[in-house]
Amino acid sequence: MKAKVAMTFVCALFLVPLTSGCWDRREINDIAFVTAAAADITQDNHYRVTIQVPLPGKISDVGQKGGGGGSSGNKAYFLDSTIGDTFRAANAKQQNAMSRQLYFSHMRVFVFGEDLARENIASPIDVMSRIPQNRMTTYLLVSSGPAADLLNAQATMEKTPAEFLRELANESMIHPRTVKRVTEALLAEGQDPIMPVVSWTTTKPGDAGDAQTNLKLNGLAIFQKKKLVAMLSGRAADGVLWAMGEFRRPLITIPAKNGSGFVSVMVTSYHVRTTVKPTQDGRMVCQIQARVTGTLSENTSNLTYERSQNLASLERQASQAVTDDMRIAVDQLQRLHADPIGICNRVYRNYPGYWHRVKHNWRDEFYPNIPVQIDAQVEIRNSGNATSPVGIPEEELQS
Amino acid sequence: MSGRVLIRRRRRRPTESVRGPEQQGTELDASTPLEIEGGSSYAASCEIPISDHLHDNLTMMLKVFSDCSDLQVRHLCVGHKRDACMLYLSGLVNPADLSEEALRPLIYDFQASDEHVIDWLSPDKIRDEGVLLARVGRADTFRKAIDGIVDGRAALFVDGVSQAVLLSTSGPERRSISEPETESVVRGPREGFTEDLSVNIALLRHKIRTPQLKAHSFTLGTYTKTAVLLVYIEDLADPKVIAEAKRRISSIEIDGVLESGYIEELIEDQPMSPFPQFQYSERPDTIAAQLLEGRFAIFTEGTPFVLIAPVTWWQFVQASEDYYERFFLVYLVRVLRYISLFLALFLPAMYIAVTTYHQDMLPTSLVMSVAAARESIPFPAIIEALIMELTFEALREAGIRLPKAVGQAVSILGALVIGQAAVEAGIVSAPMVIIVAITGIASFTLPRYNAAIAIRLLRFPMMLLAAVLGMFGIVIGVMWISIHLCKLRSFGVPYLSGLAPYKRKEVKDLFFRPPWWKMVFRPSSFAHHNRKRMAERQMPGPDKRSGSRGGAR
């Protein structure tokens, strides 16, 4: 009897591979790994979805030796762009023209075209959170101009533009904007999302070389919830990053006294505190305090910064520069009625009762009128290994 | 139809076994030329007493040993008076001993002190005055005399004496004590057991010098009559376990026992388990250590491998050297072994599962290199893995069996064929070669070969499960193995004892070895009483009173 049961069990085991059919089985070489996707909107309100699929045979030296075969062509990646009513519809169309199954788990970057971002970023994000293959850690970027173009840049530094974009996104902020962070910002009260902007450039080394298309970070995309309202760049963008405490490896460059050159301060660490508190007369005041520590990294003036008043004045100048950056940024943001810093979110969290009184029209009435006090203190711990300009004789130095 | 036949056969079996070894012997011996009344002479001789006629005795013995060309018959005259005859098997006794210590005194020196006493040539007399050998026995039946001769003794039949004197000499030369090849150590004793049981037990007695070291003797095998010893320390081993072991060993009925593996398979708790329920060792120090923890050992004549039980799984991940080296190193090594254990069992399965089901589990750059390597491979991952694993197993098997000189050729062939040619030909991907290599190395780090075999076997079902169900399959496999291990018992001791059932004090010796001064108690799974093995608080250090230099002036 026991033997019979055992035999039945063994027979059943043998059936498992046949009946279950390994329904999810897909070999790694039957998969098209999408590493970057871009979304644009067409004139007639359809989505144009562009995906980048690296060709494994091209991208890695492994497996080149034997057997040959695999992917062919010049580029290390395959780019496909289709139009559809929804993302999935566009993807389905792409799938029809593919020998391998599209696979989104390894999508590291998603780029919104400028037009689409001005329209609505919420619906593409819906796809990302709905399909389990997509990851919440995918970096989000906004392109200035059509997003599809970004995926076609040469970006020779990496093997594919996708990788290049991923590294750019990773460098853009201390906490790069991922699907998770943007979704959080979209859902939070009194908070707007923000994303880095990437644009095309051409680099041309001198007159001789061929021009190459490249990609660069170019400021910040400011949103009002799901709609892009402006792209900031330059000092305003820096100021936003300062105020958010998201500035990655900031460098403060300021003119030296007497207009004789410039001084760069490399920031080694900094801390930004944003607080809100109600005043006596029932208004809300915001205070942004930045404590910055840095070292002197370059000095093109003839001033020496060793044990002298110059260092103190340099600290003052640098503090002023950071304060100015933030001031420009906050003024701009208040004018744009967008709050990526989350000032209103802090009101909501700390003074919920107050927030409920003002929240019905916070974006247009409450937020633009909050007085923001900005205070930055730069401390220069180390005046650099070469305190005085190296190339200038000692007697010409001003202390 | 076959069911009925099966049942009938099964019913008949008990009656067969009732007949016992002698009658089975008659069946098998039917072809021997000389028969006495339908049975073999040996079986018939069994309880016939030895007569006092030398001639009759000799005839009987020669009949039994007919066609045994190595039987030596030496006629002699005891004390110049009485005819006698000495029988022995030529290779089993030491002829020099025999002639110097027995023949010479018997022929020349043995005097009939008082001829009026009728019993002047009794076996006792011969033993007391006739021979100079240490071990002298006697036999009153032919059976005993014959057994003595096959056991390597010389039987002396004297005319007029109805008993045979059995003389033991030092025996023939066996393999000398050498370093055990299967368990070599960097630090630790270098002697290993040999094929000689008496040498083996002596080696153990050298380590444990107490009469409490018991060696209960069994003789197994109708034909081989293999001596088997159940060895334990009286105060430490669980009496119930010892009783059970005795019961199991004495219930063995078999024609021959040539290696301890026969006994192992006949007395283990769960014969259908891939996991070993006995540890074996050819190191006296390992056996001594196990006995000191309250286990028992089974010594078998003719093999250097001694069985140890009851065992837990953890023993198979420990080497004897773990207890000789300083504990810091052992900590690292044990962690390494557990990692290796995991890799040896799961790595190929994980690779298959990840590459065919869960590509999202790998970092993008890694998935790209794997994809690139697999680009031109014609087989699915499971087939590829099976090809590689089977080739590797074949190479390993070939390497073990081949003579050493040829073995090198195998490794070169293996390295070239698998390592390079298969990858270059695009039949197998490079990552798979790496996976198989890591798996192989990991399985070699397990110090016990029989445990490594279990892991090696289970790797294949794990790979199939991974190929069919991905990670879920692996999880199912892990659950199956864990349930099986939790269920397994070795002589009543849970196989995962220490962890399941959890014993706080023992867990520390499972995953890393505490320093000796911390291991005050024996594992409670084996030694139930008398558990303390050393004094507490023995952590060494300089004497605080004599200053910081600890006495050294």
Side-chain angles (χ1 to χ4, degrees):
Chain A
M1 203 56 217
K2 208 171 166 189
K4 214 170 180 181
V5 172
M7 275 309 292
T8 319
F9 183 70
V10 169
C11 289
L13 264 187
F14 276 115
L15 284 176
V16 169
L18 302 174
T19 51
S20 68
C22 317
W23 61 93
D24 280 332
R25 192 181 82 91
R26 47 181 188 264
E27 289 291 333
I28 207 162
N29 37 2
D30 297 330
I31 289 175
F33 292 99
V34 177
T35 50
D40 289 299
I41 199 154
T42 56
Q43 306 248 308
D44 50 349
N45 269 340
H46 282 60
Y47 289 117
R48 168 181 283 279
V49 180
T50 313
I51 53 168
Q52 187 168 98
V53 178
L55 306 173
K58 295 274 167 195
I59 206 157
S60 168
D61 297 336
V62 193
Q64 293 287 14
K65 283 183 186 169
S71 346
S72 52
N74 283 327
K75 284 179 173 173
Y77 57 89
F78 170 76
L79 213 56
D80 192 13
S81 193
T82 358
I83 297 171
D85 294 334
T86 63
F87 270 81
R88 297 306 283 183
N91 286 341
K93 275 189 198 170
Q94 284 162 344
Q95 183 66 70
N96 288 339
M98 277 211 186
S99 63
R100 298 184 176 198
Q101 203 180 338
L102 283 175
Y103 195 69
F104 291 92
S105 274
H106 288 278
M107 186 169 78
R108 312 291 286 273
V109 194
F110 189 91
V111 191
F112 293 102
E114 191 178 342
D115 292 341
L116 174 66
R118 287 197 190 279
E119 199 80 19
N120 184 357
I121 60 162
S123 43
I125 283 180
D126 173 78
V127 183
M128 298 207 203
S129 49
R130 204 176 288 276
I131 312 288
Q133 266 187 10
N134 290 322
R135 298 215 174 159
M136 297 303 270
T137 51
T138 303
Y139 293 138
L140 294 179
L141 295 170
V142 174
S143 76
S144 56
D149 292 350
L150 288 194
L151 299 189
N152 215 1
Q154 276 176 315
T156 20
M157 200 169 278
E158 302 288 343
K159 287 205 164 154
T160 60
E163 185 63 13
F164 196 96
L165 279 171
R166 190 183 73 84
E167 294 293 344
L168 276 187
N170 195 28
E171 290 295 303
S172 63
M173 294 184 193
I174 287 177
H175 301 104
R177 296 296 110 170
T178 58
V179 174
K180 175 172 165 279
R181 282 179 190 282
V182 169
T183 315
E184 275 167 7
L186 278 173
L187 298 177
E189 293 244 347
Q191 170 95 51
D192 286 317
I194 188 169
M195 285 180 220
V197 175
V198 176
S199 65
W200 252 61
T201 55
T202 43
T203 54
K204 192 165 180 187
D207 293 333
D210 292 334
Q212 289 193 327
T213 55
N214 209 350
L215 302 167
K216 69 166 184 180
L217 284 172
N218 193 15
L220 294 169
I222 306 296
F223 287 82
Q224 277 182 5
K225 285 296 178 197
K226 55 189 184 181
K227 276 187 178 18
L228 174 74
V229 287
M231 289 185 180
L232 299 184
S233 60
R235 293 191 78 177
D238 285 356
V240 175
L241 290 176
W242 270 121
M244 291 175 71
E246 289 285 356
F247 210 145
R248 199 176 170 102
R249 288 198 281 275
L251 186 75
I252 309 165
T253 303
I254 35 183
K257 271 193 306 192
N258 313 334
S260 60
F262 289 91
V263 182
S264 281
V265 174
M266 190 173 71
V267 175
T268 50
S269 72
Y270 69 97
H271 178 73
V272 181
R273 237 184 108 191
T274 307
T275 48
V276 286
K277 57 170 179 261
T279 55
Q280 304 263 318
D281 54 341
R283 297 182 63 203
M284 204 50 87
V285 183
C286 174
Q287 198 172 31
I288 301 176
Q289 286 175 313
R291 294 286 171 269
V292 184
T293 320
T295 60
L296 192 64
S297 67
E298 193 176 349
N299 179 9
T300 60
S301 71
N302 59 357
L303 294 171
T304 174
Y305 288 101
E306 192 180 10
R307 297 187 306 273
S308 71
Q309 285 300 308
N310 290 341
L311 199 61
S313 77
L314 179 68
E315 283 181 345
R316 273 196 304 281
Q317 273 182 294
S319 306
Q320 194 54 49
V322 174
T323 313
D324 288 351
D325 279 3
M326 287 196 271
R327 173 60 62 200
I328 293 168
V330 169
D331 286 352
Q332 284 253 28
L333 291 176
Q334 284 185 320
R335 226 175 300 133
L336 289 166
H337 297 201
D339 185 11
I341 302 169
I343 294 172
C344 294
N345 184 256
R346 285 182 171 80
V347 176
Y348 160 69
R349 288 187 186 191
N350 298 332
Y351 305 99
Y354 188 96
W355 174 252
H356 279 290
R357 285 204 300 282
V358 297
K359 96 177 202 187
H360 61 279
N361 203 6
W362 66 273
R363 194 181 287 283
D364 298 328
E365 282 175 15
F366 172 64
Y367 173 64
N369 299 318
I370 297 176
V372 181
Q373 300 164 2
I374 294 166
D375 169 39
Q377 295 292 330
V378 177
E379 184 193 350
I380 296 173
R381 283 264 169 90
N382 181 351
S383 48
N385 292 334
T387 50
S388 43
V390 180
I392 298 174
E394 212 169 307
E395 49 271 20
E396 291 175 26
L397 292 174
Q398 298 175 13
S399 54
Chain B
M1 174 208 116
S2 63
R4 276 188 83 110
V5 175
L6 266 177
I7 288 165
R8 236 183 245 159
R9 245 182 232 158
R10 207 172 294 154
R11 273 193 196 141
R12 203 181 290 160
R13 204 174 287 158
T15 53
E16 275 178 86
S17 62
V18 160
R19 279 198 271 166
E22 283 78 23
Q23 280 152 0
Q24 274 180 6
T26 59
E27 274 180 12
L28 288 162
D29 260 9
S31 60
T32 47
L34 202 139
E35 295 181 15
I36 294 176
E37 290 153 14
S40 90
S41 50
Y42 173 56
S45 77
C46 110
E47 294 309 328
I48 300 175
I50 293 171
S51 76
D52 51 4
H53 289 287
L54 178 61
H55 182 74
D56 291 357
N57 291 343
L58 214 52
T59 319
M60 181 70 187
M61 290 303 282
L62 288 176
K63 230 175 220 173
V64 172
F65 281 100
S66 68
D67 219 10
C68 296
S69 58
D70 54 344
L71 182 80
Q72 305 290 316
V73 183
R74 170 71 159 87
H75 290 280
L76 66 149
C77 194
V78 176
H80 308 293
K81 283 201 175 70
R82 198 71 70 87
D83 277 343
C85 191
M86 192 180 274
L87 290 100
Y88 59 91
L89 291 168
S90 62
L92 298 184
V93 296
N94 186 340
D97 274 6
L98 211 57
S99 57
E100 278 303 308
E101 318 294 341
L103 289 177
R104 175 185 291 274
L106 281 172
I107 294 171
Y108 292 117
D109 308 338
F110 195 65
Q111 298 297 330
S113 51
D114 187 357
E115 292 214 29
H116 304 293
V117 181
I118 297 165
D119 204 21
W120 70 273
L121 249 180
S122 72
D124 286 343
K125 195 95 172 168
I126 291 174
R127 185 192 61 203
D128 296 344
E129 298 171 22
V131 292
L132 303 174
L133 294 164
R135 286 176 59 203
V136 177
R138 67 165 101 161
D140 47 4
T141 62
F142 279 106
R143 181 63 182 276
K144 282 185 185 160
I146 292 163
D147 286 352
I149 291 172
V150 240
D151 200 30
R153 275 173 274 184
L156 177 72
F157 292 90
V158 184
D159 194 26
V161 178
S162 61
Q163 277 178 333
V165 183
L166 298 176
L167 308 168
S168 305
T169 60
S170 59
E173 278 295 306
R174 304 290 289 269
R175 187 170 67 96
S176 62
I177 297 170
S178 57
E179 190 172 353
E181 275 184 25
T182 56
E183 293 163 273
S184 48
V185 287
V186 177
R187 179 177 177 178
R190 301 234 179 268
E191 59 188 11
F193 288 130
T194 68
E195 282 74 15
D196 192 342
L197 185 63
S198 54
V199 171
N200 290 354
I201 194 77
L203 283 173
L204 187 65
R205 289 265 182 210
H206 276 301
K207 304 239 176 241
I208 305 176
R209 293 156 201 254
T210 168
Q212 283 168 306
L213 178 69
K214 304 294 181 196
H216 190 89
S217 157
F218 298 88
T219 306
L220 297 181
T222 339
Y223 290 98
T224 59
K225 299 211 173 55
T226 314
V228 171
L229 294 181
L230 176 73
V231 179
Y232 58 98
I233 297 179
E234 197 178 30
D235 264 5
L236 301 180
D238 186 350
K240 281 186 201 156
V241 169
I242 298 301
E244 174 66 12
K246 282 179 182 167
R247 189 190 68 75
R248 288 191 197 177
I249 296 174
S250 51
S251 68
I252 296 176
E253 279 178 27
I254 190 171
D255 58 346
V257 172
L258 300 182
E259 217 280 335
S260 49
Y262 288 44
I263 303 172
E264 176 179 0
E265 282 197 20
L266 283 166
I267 65 173
E268 62 191 358
D269 289 61
Q270 179 56 266
M272 300 312 282
S273 169
F275 289 94
Q277 290 143 59
F278 280 89
Q279 183 190 335
Y280 62 77
S281 176
E282 49 175 334
R283 300 184 57 84
D285 55 325
T286 304
I287 302 294
Q290 306 286 15
L291 291 180
L292 286 172
E293 286 195 348
R295 299 183 183 92
F296 65 81
I298 298 174
F299 284 67
T300 313
E301 170 73 50
T303 175
F305 291 100
V306 175
L307 297 174
I308 304 159
V311 289
T312 58
W313 168 250
W314 318 112
Q315 260 170 273
F316 296 102
V317 195
Q318 300 169 354
S320 58
E321 211 174 345
D322 288 6
Y323 295 91
Y324 305 151
E325 275 300 338
R326 296 192 65 227
F327 68 94
F328 291 106
L329 174 80
V330 180
Y331 180 82
L332 173 78
V333 168
R334 286 226 174 136
V335 169
L336 199 69
R337 282 198 204 123
Y338 281 105
I339 295 172
S340 305
L341 180 69
F342 180 83
L343 290 180
L345 186 53
F346 296 121
L347 190 64
M350 299 259 263
Y351 179 78
I352 292 167
V354 166
T355 52
T356 51
Y357 291 94
H358 316 281
Q359 290 88 358
D360 39 2
M361 280 178 70
L362 294 175
T364 306
S365 40
L366 182 58
V367 91
M368 283 301 158
S369 1
V370 174
R374 281 196 50 78
E375 197 69 5
S376 57
I377 308 299
F379 304 113
I382 172 70
I383 302 294
E384 198 190 347
L386 283 178
I387 290 175
M388 285 305 290
E389 284 289 345
L390 290 176
T391 317
F392 172 64
E393 291 295 333
L395 271 175
R396 170 142 73 173
E397 193 59 26
I400 294 172
R401 303 277 170 257
L402 276 177
K404 266 177 193 156
V406 194
Q408 209 164 11
V410 171
S411 58
I412 293 169
L413 205 67
L416 278 179
V417 169
I418 302 185
Q420 242 185 318
V423 175
E424 284 195 6
I427 292 171
V428 174
S429 65
M432 184 53 87
V433 176
I434 297 168
I435 296 286
V436 172
I438 293 175
T439 312
I441 291 168
S443 71
F444 289 142
T445 58
L446 283 182
R448 303 281 168 210
Y449 189 63
N450 51 351
I453 289 173
I455 299 300
R456 197 166 132 190
L457 280 177
L458 288 172
R459 185 150 77 225
F460 290 94
M462 291 306 295
M463 276 158 61
L464 290 177
L465 278 171
V468 174
L469 295 167
M471 276 295 167
F472 296 104
I474 293 180
V475 170
I476 289 169
V478 170
M479 281 164 63
W480 179 74
I481 292 174
S482 331
I483 290 170
H484 174 71
L485 285 178
C486 289
K487 211 180 68 176
L488 207 56
R489 296 278 188 284
S490 169
F491 284 88
V493 175
Y495 206 55
L496 294 180
S497 192
L499 194 70
Y502 182 76
K503 285 169 188 156
R504 191 173 52 83
K505 280 185 179 161
E506 281 168 43
V507 161
K508 63 185 175 194
D509 194 21
L510 305 186
F511 300 105
F512 57 97
R513 179 178 78 79
W516 267 110
W517 37 266
K518 275 290 206 183
M519 295 193 289
V520 177
F521 294 101
R522 297 189 177 85
S524 64
S525 316
F526 313 106
H528 293 299
H529 55 285
N530 188 8
R531 288 198 42 226
K532 201 163 171 180
R533 73 172 132 202
M534 63 193 294
E536 281 168 271
R537 283 189 291 280
Q538 286 201 77
M539 182 178 173
D543 189 354
K544 297 222 171 63
R545 280 165 303 177
S546 66
S548 61
R549 286 195 290 169
R553 307 273 157 183

